[in-house]
């Protein structure tokens, strides 16, 4: 999207015919971006016929809303127009053309701007906004100090020419009285001044280090620090003036170390947002940080990332159906494709287009005791689709068997139906020694489950496989003569869940159960019930089902893995590094006791490395339940950056990494809180970045980081530095040039050039053969990176009897440079023969030999 057209483009004739000084002064409104792209430059064009324009100047400072054209003649009418280019190289339409004849109409202005309406319009704990107006275009300056000092020693200025002035003065002390005055200078250098009065800063918390910590397509995390307990709020908008803004935050007091984080969500992708932060302390003192009136900003990304699919499981399987559930990390649709052969999917049920983060899909009309291969698919609202790895599931025999509890998902899904189902008519039927049946009804079609166990922690789950309103769930594996607690759960197609209150029932004793078996006349039924009894007392022959595998507390060399099994079991954890992953080459065990909750800590891991893990649980060693393969990455080792060169306005930062990574440095001006970034995506081990355009005598915090080939972040410890204040160039003195012919050579000589400086500086000599007037000499010699006060540079390739122009130069460590005036020297001639010497002496003595030559 192109920038908007420049506004209020105007011309002012400031010529002075008295001294033939003809000028045209132009001004325009400062550009405010309406797109995600940033400002690049103003381009000013000039014409003498109003048709053919040529580029006059490209201005890269967004706040320089003016230009003075001095290359004009009083006999020519000039035409001007302006456009704006952004960082995407999009170009605005041209401004309305303006024209003028430089005839001196503005040259008689000797009147200073008239200043009025001076006000401390907004005052906070550490800053204040000063406003005033002038009767003509002029720049802005505020001079201020504490009332106790009263010397107006501090100054904040703006180069922009405006009539409505606004200056933010910052780094003030809370709860302190300040005095100020304002000044404005017009385009003819006439300065006006006006007293401002005084103001008292508030006593709120001091806000610092405001940073957009992370940005995604629909969210961002805003971070800042305070110096005391206070709450956390962010006020944000897509409008640069923050009109129609929203506010989000946390009213809780943030204690030491007083770090604030607020997460913005539900944002629009690929959109620029503007914001400021607010913190209020326990005494109700409020502080705002508006970034000197510019507000902070960030641009959301464009979503090209597919959803991340996780937690695939089959909580319910029957002889003819399988319920498949999974989760995604963002709202997405749901589909399953499956078949009887690995890698070949012959069935494609209809797409469920409802966007959710919790997904449920039921495969029906399946074969009994058959293995099916399937994978799940989810696509987000931007059609970014994710497809899982192949999974397997096997239908049961005629009886229903539950192998895993339904997992809960996080987040908020946008669903059409937000009303939970109503559960009614709960009953326990067909109670036997080792089994029972729970029935209930719902007011809409749902998948129903029953949680049951010896106490209110339950621990077991059974469920039906289809969406229906009348439910009958068989519980198996019970113990005879035992009281059981249970409650039922109903989940509708939109994920709305209802859970009943806790209820109890008791199984029958063995005598009652055997008596019932003996009364059965049907041999087939007898055999089935007897097998059911045997199966119910030996649930451990079925491999434990593993769920909720999580990796936490990841460091450079360790991690903790936890998981859950559906029955008490022993736990083991197999793992391998990515480079060794042909199979799991290490296994750790946890066999002290059987448990449902398992946790194993991995140690001795390598930094910045991808690891594969598989959680395993068993009751008998030959019957092992296994999780799917899961990967995680250890954190990279911290690197130690260092400042290799520090000057007034630039520095160099260096660091070394174990692996090849890209090179980035993010640096924050700790006074203005503005954040800048430089970098190089080329992966190297030795990193060297130059930070330029810094402000002298200013504190900065530098964060170095990069990404390796696996996109793992490798970052260094933050550095805090202050740029140098030295703005004085070294003084050069005692320049001396000594020439000596090289032994045995008549065509070359060496020149020893020496000088002194009043501070350590480098040593450079510029030289060129011949005479001339140019200030730039073609050749250079010396030592650019060595600093001393005594300088010697030897030139070894000069010619004898030749004119050379030479100058010396020295720059101190703050890059303040001094160059000497250019000297012209004549190098000595080659050694003379005896005859040459005799002739020369006769010439000097008698002079008559001059006529012979």
């Amino acid at each position: 999207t192109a920038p908007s057209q420049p506004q209020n483009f105007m011309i002012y004739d400031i010529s002075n015919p008295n001294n033939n000084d003809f000028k045209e002064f132009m001004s325009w409104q400062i550009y405010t971006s309406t797109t995600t792209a940033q400002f690049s430059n103003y381009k000013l064009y000039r014409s003498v016929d109003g048709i053919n324009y040529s580029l006059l100047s490209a201005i890269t400072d967004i706040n320089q809303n003016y230009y003075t054209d001095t290359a004009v003649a009083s006999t020519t009418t000039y035409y001007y127009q302006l456009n704006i280019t952004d960082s995407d190289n999009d170009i605005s339409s041209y401004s309305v053309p303006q024209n003028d004849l430089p005839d001196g109409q503005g040259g008689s202005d000797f009147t200073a701007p008239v200043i009025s309406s001076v006000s401390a319009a907004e005052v906070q704990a550490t800053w204040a906004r000063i406003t005033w107006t002038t009767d003509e275009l002029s720049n802005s300056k505020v001079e201020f100090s504490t009332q106790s000092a009263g010397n107006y020693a501090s100054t904040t200025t703006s180069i922009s020419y405006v009539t409505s002035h606004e200056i933010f003065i910052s780094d003030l002390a809370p709860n302190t009285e300040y005095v100020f005055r304002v000044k404005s200078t017009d385009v003819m250098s006439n300065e006006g001044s006006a007293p401002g009065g005084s103001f008292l800063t508030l006593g709120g918390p001091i806000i610092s280090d405001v940073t957009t910590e992370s940005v995604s397509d629909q969210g961002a995390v805003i971070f800042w620090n305070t110096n005391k307990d206070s709450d956390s709020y962010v006020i944000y908008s897509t409008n640069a003036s923050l009109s129609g803004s929203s506010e989000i935050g946390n009213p809780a007091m943030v204690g030491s170390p007083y770090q604030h984080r607020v997460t913005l969500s539900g944002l629009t992708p690929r959109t620029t947002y503007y914001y400021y932060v607010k913190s209020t302390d326990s005494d109700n003192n409020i502080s705002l940080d508006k970034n000197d009136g510019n507000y902070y900003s960030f641009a959301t990304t464009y979503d090209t990332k597919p959803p991340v699919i996780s937690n695939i499981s089959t909580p319910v399987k029957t002889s003819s159906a399988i319920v498949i559930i999974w989760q995604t990390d963002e709202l997405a649709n749901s589909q399953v494709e499956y078949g009887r052969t690995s890698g070949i999917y012959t069935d494609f049920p209809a797409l469920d287009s409802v966007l959710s983060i919790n997904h449920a899909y039921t495969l029906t009309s399946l074969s009994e005791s058959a293995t099916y291969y399937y994978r799940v698919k989810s696509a987000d609202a931007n059609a970014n689709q994710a497809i899982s790895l192949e999974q397997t599931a096997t239908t049961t025999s005629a009886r229903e068997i539950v192998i895993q509890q339904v997992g809960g998902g996080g987040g908020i899904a946008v669903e059409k139906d937000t009303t939970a189902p109503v559960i009614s008519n709960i009953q326990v039927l067909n109670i036997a020694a080792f089994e029972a049946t729970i029935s209930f009804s719902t007011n809409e079609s749902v998948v129903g489950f029953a949680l049951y166990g010896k106490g209110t922690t339950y621990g077991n789950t059974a469920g039906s496989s289809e969406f229906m309103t009348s439910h009958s769930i068989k519980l198996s594996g019970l113990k005879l003569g035992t009281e059981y607690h249970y409650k039922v759960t109903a989940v509708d197609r939109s994920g709305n869940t209802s859970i009943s209150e806790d209820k109890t029932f008791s199984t029958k004793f063995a005598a009652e159960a055997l008596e019932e078996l003996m009364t059965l006349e049907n041999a087939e039924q007898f055999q089935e019930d007897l097998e059911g009894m045997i199966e119910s007392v030996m649930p451990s022959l079925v491999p434990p089902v593993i769920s909720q595998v999580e990796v936490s507390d990841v460091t450079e060399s360790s991690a903790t893995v936890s998981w859950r099994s559906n029955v008490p079991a022993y736990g083991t954890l197999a793992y391998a590094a990515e480079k060794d992953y042909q199979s799991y080459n290490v296994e750790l065990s946890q066999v002290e006791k059987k448990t449902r909750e398992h946790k194993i800590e991995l140690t001795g891991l390598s930094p910045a490395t991808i690891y594969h893990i598989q959680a395993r649980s068993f009751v008998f060693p030959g019957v092992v339940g296994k999780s799917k393969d899961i990967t995680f990455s250890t954190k990279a080792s911290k690197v130690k950056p260092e400042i290799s060169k520090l000057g007034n306005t630039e520095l160099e930062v260096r660091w070394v990494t174990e692996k090849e990574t890209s090179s980035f440095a993010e640096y924050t001006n700790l006074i203005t809180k503005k954040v800048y970034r430089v970098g190089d995506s080329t992966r190297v081990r030795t990193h060297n970045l130059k930070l330029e355009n810094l402000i002298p005598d200013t504190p900065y915090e530098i964060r170095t980081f990069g990404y390796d080939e696996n996109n793992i972040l490798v970052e260094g410890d933050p550095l805090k530095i202050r740029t140098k204040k030295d703005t004085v160039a070294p003084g050069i003195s005692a320049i001396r040039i000594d020439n000596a012919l090289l032994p045995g050579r008549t065509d070359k000589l060496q020149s020893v050039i020496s000088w002194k400086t009043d501070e350590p500086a480098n040593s450079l000599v510029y030289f060129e053969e011949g005479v001339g007037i140019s200030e730039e000499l073609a050749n250079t010699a010396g030592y650019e990176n060595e600093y001393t006060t005594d300088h010697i540079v030897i030139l070894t390739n000069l010619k004898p009897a030749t004119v050379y122009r030479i100058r010396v130069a020295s720059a101190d460590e703050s890059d303040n440079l001094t160059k000497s005036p250019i000297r012209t020297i004549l190098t000595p001639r080659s050694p003379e023969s005896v005859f040459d010497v005799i002739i020369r002496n006769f010439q000097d003595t008698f002079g008559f030999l001059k006529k012979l030559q």
Side-chain angles (χ1 to χ4, degrees), residues 607-610 657-661 684-685 687 708 710 712 714:
T609 301
I610 298 174
T657 51
E658 294 178 355
K659 296 183 176 182
E660 291 186 342
T661 73
V684 294
R685 285 190 173 89
H687 310 263
D708 66 13
N710 296 315
I712 294 175
V714 180

Side-chain angles (χ1 to χ4, degrees), residues 768-791:
E768 185 175 89
E769 181 180 337
V771 295
I773 60 173
S774 172
E775 291 293 311
E776 300 298 325
L777 305 182
N779 306 297
T780 306
Y783 311 98
E784 188 172 4
N785 297 314
E786 296 180 11
Y787 297 87
T788 181
T789 57
D790 295 303
H791 308 265

